[in-house]
Amino acid sequence: MSLEQTRHLATELPGPKSAALMRRKQAFVSPGVGTTMPVFAARAAGGIVEDVDGNRFIDLGSGIAVTTVGSSAPRVVEAVRAQVAEFTHTCFMITPYESYVAVAEALARLTPGDFEKRSALFNSGSEAVENAVKIARSYTGKDAVVVFDHAYHGRTNLTMAMTAKVAPYKHGFGPFAGEVYRAPMSYPSRDGLSGAAAAARAVSQIETQVGAGNLAALVIEPIQGEGGFIVPAPGFLAALADWCSKNGVVFVADEVQSGFGRTGTMFAVEHEDVVPDLVVSAKGIAGGLPLAAVTGRAEIMDAVHTGGLGGTYGGNPLACAAALAVIETIEEDGLLERAREIETLVLGWLRALDDARIGDIRGRGAMLAAEFVDPATGEPDAALAKAVAGYAHSRGVITLTCGTWGNVIRFLPPLSISDELLSEGLDIIAAALKEN
């Protein structure tokens, strides 16, 4: 598919076709399913999303870190077309197929750690996180799970319990699963602690309030996603992983948003030389098709009884074909290096803004963020983040907010975006700051 890689506003936003579709949505789709943009997509490729009215938007969101290799990436399109012509579904638990096995082989090669590994495939990040907890409980014979402040792990009952932020993710949906405990996260711009000190604080709370003898798993995002793209202080993850190893606790890296090349390494834990026991993958793994995985040490993955893991659609053949094409695209097109180039460009641009309302600039690769604060008090400024995002939307740039307080703008461009489009999108963000 050829889609012109330029921003273009053909109508007021929303255009008439999008407005008509929004009326249909309001009539037939649950209002619980919200939308960030008031427009409806028709096509997408590279760094552009085109709506049904012919407006073209610069994509700085990648469908929340999903289209890392670009929407409609050529190898992905070709692989899915070929697979859909052969068969669409048999259920791997009934009649297995090679592509599921090939994805598991690739994950064994790509995830950190030089040891024998196994994988199980699922449909979504939430489902995979929940299964990682099941696997850890089966292996250890223990029940408790530790997660962290600002964490986001999903929308199932268990993963809502594991998620920190109440609105919109948890409000009114309880009661939640038990045996989930929360520890303080390393948040360098707010706590001022070294990685070692922040880890000691967390471990002290875990040992006092949970006890290693009761703890099956410690689940952590190496870079927190919805919580605000928080990058823990150096040494924090390593200290936690070391404590887990010494105390028989399964260390689970939730790489749903940060994995598959997003941060300039295949997985974000690699920046800290940490080797998790289990790694959870989703989002960018299959270029937009629903796929997720739990990959880990063979002795842990083998602890689950036959039939204990699975699902009707888990490891769907179309998604597996897409995942293999995504991996080929990342490796053959040098996209890890491209993520690092994007980091240099975006961080340099953010620092050059020299705006006192930007309280912190952080992230790795193409997973970057600016946190907005009141410069006088340091308090979160969610209104400014919302205004900046709204201005960008109205000018044809897809941007996303996040953070516990909603005061963070995150930058998640596809790695296929050109420097020219990326710079244009960033300049519109700068204009938004001047207007507000």
Side-chain angles (χ1 to χ4, degrees):
M1 179 182 68
S2 177
L3 179 59
E4 186 174 341
Q5 295 295 293
T6 59
R7 180 177 64 97
H8 173 68
L9 297 182
T11 70
E12 292 185 358
L13 300 179
K17 293 179 181 178
S18 280
L21 282 168
M22 187 61 74
R23 289 191 291 271
R24 290 168 58 188
K25 173 192 177 293
Q26 291 165 348
F28 295 104
V29 177
S30 167
V33 182
T35 60
T36 297
M37 302 287 290
V39 300
F40 282 72
R43 300 191 300 163
I48 290 290
V49 175
E50 183 177 85
D51 76 3
V52 292
D53 291 287
N55 299 298
R56 294 193 298 273
F57 299 83
I58 298 173
D59 185 7
L60 299 186
S62 298
I64 318 182
V66 169
T67 54
T68 301
V69 298
S71 188
S72 306
R75 290 185 185 89
V76 175
V77 171
E78 181 180 351
V80 172
R81 280 178 174 163
Q83 178 58 54
V84 79
E86 298 298 327
F87 63 93
T88 58
H89 178 77
T90 65
C91 184
F92 187 77
M93 298 183 300
I94 305 302
T95 309
Y97 35 88
E98 181 183 2
S99 58
Y100 187 119
V101 177
V103 170
E105 289 171 336
L107 287 167
R109 173 174 64 86
L110 295 170
T111 51
D114 185 18
F115 43 77
E116 190 176 0
K117 301 170 191 167
R118 309 269 194 269
S119 289
L121 305 185
F122 305 99
N123 300 291
S124 71
S126 300
E127 187 183 357
V129 169
E130 185 147 343
N131 274 276
V133 172
K134 287 166 54 179
I135 293 163
R137 285 172 168 169
S138 182
Y139 175 70
T140 63
K142 299 183 285 186
D143 297 330
V145 178
V146 161
V147 291
F148 288 81
D149 291 337
H150 314 289
Y152 178 86
H153 294 293
R155 294 176 183 259
T156 64
N157 187 268
L158 175 59
T159 56
M160 280 193 293
M162 296 169 68
T163 292
K165 191 173 182 177
V166 172
Y169 306 117
K170 302 167 67 169
H171 176 70
F173 297 143
F176 301 114
E179 288 302 305
V180 175
Y181 301 88
R182 198 166 307 284
M185 179 67 178
S186 171
Y187 198 146
S189 69
R190 291 195 171 272
D191 63 30
L193 297 176
S194 68
R201 177 183 63 173
V203 165
S204 175
Q205 183 167 314
I206 293 167
E207 290 180 336
T208 302
Q209 298 185 12
V210 186
N214 301 312
L215 186 57
L218 183 150
V219 184
I220 189 166
E221 302 157 273
I223 299 176
Q224 289 188 317
E226 298 297 314
F229 282 29
I230 300 165
V231 181
F236 179 74
L237 294 174
L240 293 178
D242 182 62
W243 181 85
C244 286
S245 178
K246 291 175 179 176
N247 287 276
V249 176
V250 177
F251 183 89
V252 181
D254 178 346
E255 293 262 12
V256 168
Q257 190 160 170
S258 59
F260 268 79
R262 174 56 57 180
T263 68
T265 54
M266 191 59 79
F267 295 94
V269 286
E270 296 177 64
H271 292 283
E272 297 290 326
D273 294 323
V274 169
V275 178
D277 297 310
L278 299 178
V279 176
V280 179
S281 306
K283 288 191 181 289
I285 189 174
L289 277 77
L291 186 69
V294 180
T295 304
R297 296 179 184 273
E299 63 269 24
I300 298 176
M301 298 294 293
D302 289 352
V304 180
H305 56 276
T306 299
L309 303 176
T312 302
Y313 295 108
N316 174 272
L318 302 180
C320 287
L324 295 170
V326 164
I327 293 166
E328 181 182 356
T329 299
I330 291 172
E331 294 183 328
E332 294 298 319
D333 293 358
L335 293 187
L336 298 183
E337 176 59 30
R338 177 57 182 156
R340 294 189 287 269
E341 292 171 356
I342 288 172
E343 176 182 341
T344 299
L345 191 158
V346 175
L347 291 185
W349 174 88
L350 284 169
R351 289 167 181 148
L353 290 176
D354 194 26
D355 190 318
R357 297 171 297 174
I358 301 178
D360 192 28
I361 296 165
R362 55 181 178 252
R364 288 193 166 110
M367 185 176 181
L368 305 165
E371 179 173 354
F372 295 105
V373 300
D374 182 328
T377 65
E379 290 299 306
D381 192 344
L384 178 57
K386 182 178 180 180
V388 169
Y391 181 99
H393 297 164
S394 71
R395 268 68 174 181
V397 180
I398 299 171
T399 53
L400 308 175
T401 59
C402 65
T404 297
W405 303 285
N407 65 318
V408 176
I409 295 281
R410 50 181 157 175
F411 301 92
L412 284 167
L415 302 184
S416 56
I417 196 171
S418 68
D419 284 356
E420 292 75 20
L421 273 182
L422 182 55
S423 296
E424 183 180 355
L426 295 173
D427 287 343
I428 289 170
I429 301 291
L433 282 167
K434 289 180 181 178
E435 288 285 329
N436 292 278

PDB file of all heavy atoms in Angstrom, residues 16-31:
ATOM      1  N   PRO A  16     -16.732  15.289   8.024  1.00  0.00           N
ATOM      2  CA  PRO A  16     -18.125  14.826   8.000  1.00  0.00           C
ATOM      3  C   PRO A  16     -18.275  13.311   8.081  1.00  0.00           C
ATOM      4  O   PRO A  16     -19.197  12.810   8.731  1.00  0.00           O
ATOM      5  CB  PRO A  16     -18.656  15.368   6.669  1.00  0.00           C
ATOM      6  CG  PRO A  16     -17.445  15.698   5.846  1.00  0.00           C
ATOM      7  CD  PRO A  16     -16.393  16.083   6.827  1.00  0.00           C
ATOM      8  N   LYS A  17     -17.396  12.561   7.439  1.00  0.00           N
ATOM      9  CA  LYS A  17     -17.513  11.105   7.488  1.00  0.00           C
ATOM     10  C   LYS A  17     -17.185  10.579   8.890  1.00  0.00           C
ATOM     11  O   LYS A  17     -17.862   9.679   9.399  1.00  0.00           O
ATOM     12  CB  LYS A  17     -16.610  10.462   6.439  1.00  0.00           C
ATOM     13  CG  LYS A  17     -17.047  10.739   5.003  1.00  0.00           C
ATOM     14  CD  LYS A  17     -16.106  10.087   4.002  1.00  0.00           C
ATOM     15  CE  LYS A  17     -16.537  10.378   2.568  1.00  0.00           C
ATOM     16  NZ  LYS A  17     -15.606   9.778   1.582  1.00  0.00           N
ATOM     17  N   SER A  18     -16.147  11.146   9.510  1.00  0.00           N
ATOM     18  CA  SER A  18     -15.828  10.737  10.879  1.00  0.00           C
ATOM     19  C   SER A  18     -16.946  11.120  11.836  1.00  0.00           C
ATOM     20  O   SER A  18     -17.292  10.349  12.748  1.00  0.00           O
ATOM     21  CB  SER A  18     -14.513  11.380  11.339  1.00  0.00           C
ATOM     22  OG  SER A  18     -13.391  10.684  10.834  1.00  0.00           O
ATOM     23  N   ALA A  19     -17.518  12.295  11.637  1.00  0.00           N
ATOM     24  CA  ALA A  19     -18.616  12.725  12.505  1.00  0.00           C
ATOM     25  C   ALA A  19     -19.802  11.772  12.396  1.00  0.00           C
ATOM     26  O   ALA A  19     -20.436  11.414  13.400  1.00  0.00           O
ATOM     27  CB  ALA A  19     -19.033  14.143  12.148  1.00  0.00           C
ATOM     28  N   ALA A  20     -20.097  11.331  11.176  1.00  0.00           N
ATOM     29  CA  ALA A  20     -21.198  10.388  10.980  1.00  0.00           C
ATOM     30  C   ALA A  20     -20.890   9.045  11.645  1.00  0.00           C
ATOM     31  O   ALA A  20     -21.769   8.426  12.275  1.00  0.00           O
ATOM     32  CB  ALA A  20     -21.464  10.200   9.495  1.00  0.00           C
ATOM     33  N   LEU A  21     -19.656   8.593  11.525  1.00  0.00           N
ATOM     34  CA  LEU A  21     -19.268   7.343  12.161  1.00  0.00           C
ATOM     35  C   LEU A  21     -19.315   7.456  13.679  1.00  0.00           C
ATOM     36  O   LEU A  21     -19.683   6.494  14.377  1.00  0.00           O
ATOM     37  CB  LEU A  21     -17.870   6.931  11.695  1.00  0.00           C
ATOM     38  CG  LEU A  21     -17.799   6.306  10.303  1.00  0.00           C
ATOM     39  CD1 LEU A  21     -16.360   6.218   9.824  1.00  0.00           C
ATOM     40  CD2 LEU A  21     -18.440   4.913  10.317  1.00  0.00           C
ATOM     41  N   MET A  22     -18.959   8.621  14.212  1.00  0.00           N
ATOM     42  CA  MET A  22     -19.018   8.806  15.657  1.00  0.00           C
ATOM     43  C   MET A  22     -20.458   8.724  16.153  1.00  0.00           C
ATOM     44  O   MET A  22     -20.726   8.172  17.233  1.00  0.00           O
ATOM     45  CB  MET A  22     -18.393  10.140  16.055  1.00  0.00           C
ATOM     46  CG  MET A  22     -18.258  10.332  17.566  1.00  0.00           C
ATOM     47  SD  MET A  22     -17.208   9.079  18.355  1.00  0.00           S
ATOM     48  CE  MET A  22     -15.564   9.630  17.815  1.00  0.00           C
ATOM     49  N   ARG A  23     -21.388   9.230  15.374  1.00  0.00           N
ATOM     50  CA  ARG A  23     -22.797   9.104  15.766  1.00  0.00           C
ATOM     51  C   ARG A  23     -23.214   7.628  15.788  1.00  0.00           C
ATOM     52  O   ARG A  23     -23.963   7.197  16.674  1.00  0.00           O
ATOM     53  CB  ARG A  23     -23.685   9.903  14.818  1.00  0.00           C
ATOM     54  CG  ARG A  23     -23.542  11.433  14.982  1.00  0.00           C
ATOM     55  CD  ARG A  23     -24.611  12.195  14.224  1.00  0.00           C
ATOM     56  NE  ARG A  23     -24.454  12.092  12.766  1.00  0.00           N
ATOM     57  CZ  ARG A  23     -23.723  12.932  12.041  1.00  0.00           C
ATOM     58  NH1 ARG A  23     -23.066  13.925  12.620  1.00  0.00           N
ATOM     59  NH2 ARG A  23     -23.647  12.778  10.727  1.00  0.00           N
ATOM     60  N   ARG A  24     -22.736   6.857  14.814  1.00  0.00           N
ATOM     61  CA  ARG A  24     -23.028   5.424  14.813  1.00  0.00           C
ATOM     62  C   ARG A  24     -22.378   4.732  16.017  1.00  0.00           C
ATOM     63  O   ARG A  24     -22.991   3.857  16.654  1.00  0.00           O
ATOM     64  CB  ARG A  24     -22.556   4.792  13.508  1.00  0.00           C
ATOM     65  CG  ARG A  24     -23.391   5.199  12.301  1.00  0.00           C
ATOM     66  CD  ARG A  24     -22.726   4.797  10.991  1.00  0.00           C
ATOM     67  NE  ARG A  24     -22.482   3.359  10.905  1.00  0.00           N
ATOM     68  CZ  ARG A  24     -21.769   2.797   9.930  1.00  0.00           C
ATOM     69  NH1 ARG A  24     -21.240   3.548   8.966  1.00  0.00           N
ATOM     70  NH2 ARG A  24     -21.587   1.488   9.914  1.00  0.00           N
ATOM     71  N   LYS A  25     -21.145   5.113  16.323  1.00  0.00           N
ATOM     72  CA  LYS A  25     -20.480   4.541  17.500  1.00  0.00           C
ATOM     73  C   LYS A  25     -21.299   4.813  18.755  1.00  0.00           C
ATOM     74  O   LYS A  25     -21.526   3.917  19.580  1.00  0.00           O
ATOM     75  CB  LYS A  25     -19.075   5.125  17.660  1.00  0.00           C
ATOM     76  CG  LYS A  25     -18.380   4.696  18.952  1.00  0.00           C
ATOM     77  CD  LYS A  25     -17.143   5.497  19.237  1.00  0.00           C
ATOM     78  CE  LYS A  25     -16.504   5.102  20.570  1.00  0.00           C
ATOM     79  NZ  LYS A  25     -17.321   5.450  21.745  1.00  0.00           N
ATOM     80  N   GLN A  26     -21.711   6.048  18.916  1.00  0.00           N
ATOM     81  CA  GLN A  26     -22.459   6.412  20.119  1.00  0.00           C
ATOM     82  C   GLN A  26     -23.772   5.654  20.220  1.00  0.00           C
ATOM     83  O   GLN A  26     -24.261   5.383  21.325  1.00  0.00           O
ATOM     84  CB  GLN A  26     -22.696   7.925  20.124  1.00  0.00           C
ATOM     85  CG  GLN A  26     -21.417   8.722  20.336  1.00  0.00           C
ATOM     86  CD  GLN A  26     -21.548  10.195  19.989  1.00  0.00           C
ATOM     87  OE1 GLN A  26     -22.536  10.620  19.379  1.00  0.00           O
ATOM     88  NE2 GLN A  26     -20.554  10.983  20.368  1.00  0.00           N
ATOM     89  N   ALA A  27     -24.329   5.281  19.084  1.00  0.00           N
ATOM     90  CA  ALA A  27     -25.594   4.556  19.081  1.00  0.00           C
ATOM     91  C   ALA A  27     -25.424   3.077  19.398  1.00  0.00           C
ATOM     92  O   ALA A  27     -26.331   2.466  19.992  1.00  0.00           O
ATOM     93  CB  ALA A  27     -26.289   4.731  17.726  1.00  0.00           C
ATOM     94  N   PHE A  28     -24.271   2.482  19.042  1.00  0.00           N
ATOM     95  CA  PHE A  28     -24.164   1.029  19.093  1.00  0.00           C
ATOM     96  C   PHE A  28     -22.964   0.476  19.861  1.00  0.00           C
ATOM     97  O   PHE A  28     -22.909  -0.728  20.109  1.00  0.00           O
ATOM     98  CB  PHE A  28     -24.147   0.466  17.666  1.00  0.00           C
ATOM     99  CG  PHE A  28     -25.435   0.700  16.932  1.00  0.00           C
ATOM    100  CD1 PHE A  28     -25.523   1.688  15.964  1.00  0.00           C
ATOM    101  CD2 PHE A  28     -26.568  -0.037  17.218  1.00  0.00           C
ATOM    102  CE1 PHE A  28     -26.703   1.923  15.293  1.00  0.00           C
ATOM    103  CE2 PHE A  28     -27.759   0.183  16.554  1.00  0.00           C
ATOM    104  CZ  PHE A  28     -27.835   1.166  15.585  1.00  0.00           C
ATOM    105  N   VAL A  29     -21.998   1.326  20.217  1.00  0.00           N
ATOM    106  CA  VAL A  29     -20.826   0.865  20.957  1.00  0.00           C
ATOM    107  C   VAL A  29     -20.946   1.335  22.404  1.00  0.00           C
ATOM    108  O   VAL A  29     -21.354   2.476  22.661  1.00  0.00           O
ATOM    109  CB  VAL A  29     -19.526   1.405  20.326  1.00  0.00           C
ATOM    110  CG1 VAL A  29     -18.305   0.974  21.143  1.00  0.00           C
ATOM    111  CG2 VAL A  29     -19.394   0.908  18.882  1.00  0.00           C
ATOM    112  N   SER A  30     -20.592   0.474  23.332  1.00  0.00           N
ATOM    113  CA  SER A  30     -20.649   0.850  24.746  1.00  0.00           C
ATOM    114  C   SER A  30     -19.846   2.115  24.992  1.00  0.00           C
ATOM    115  O   SER A  30     -18.693   2.243  24.535  1.00  0.00           O
ATOM    116  CB  SER A  30     -20.068  -0.270  25.614  1.00  0.00           C
ATOM    117  OG  SER A  30     -19.843   0.192  26.932  1.00  0.00           O
ATOM    118  N   PRO A  31     -20.395   3.072  25.737  1.00  0.00           N
ATOM    119  CA  PRO A  31     -19.642   4.290  26.044  1.00  0.00           C
ATOM    120  C   PRO A  31     -18.430   4.023  26.926  1.00  0.00           C
ATOM    121  O   PRO A  31     -17.561   4.885  27.078  1.00  0.00           O
ATOM    122  CB  PRO A  31     -20.673   5.179  26.758  1.00  0.00           C
ATOM    123  CG  PRO A  31     -21.690   4.230  27.296  1.00  0.00           C
ATOM    124  CD  PRO A  31     -21.758   3.110  26.305  1.00  0.00           C
TER     125      PRO A  31
END
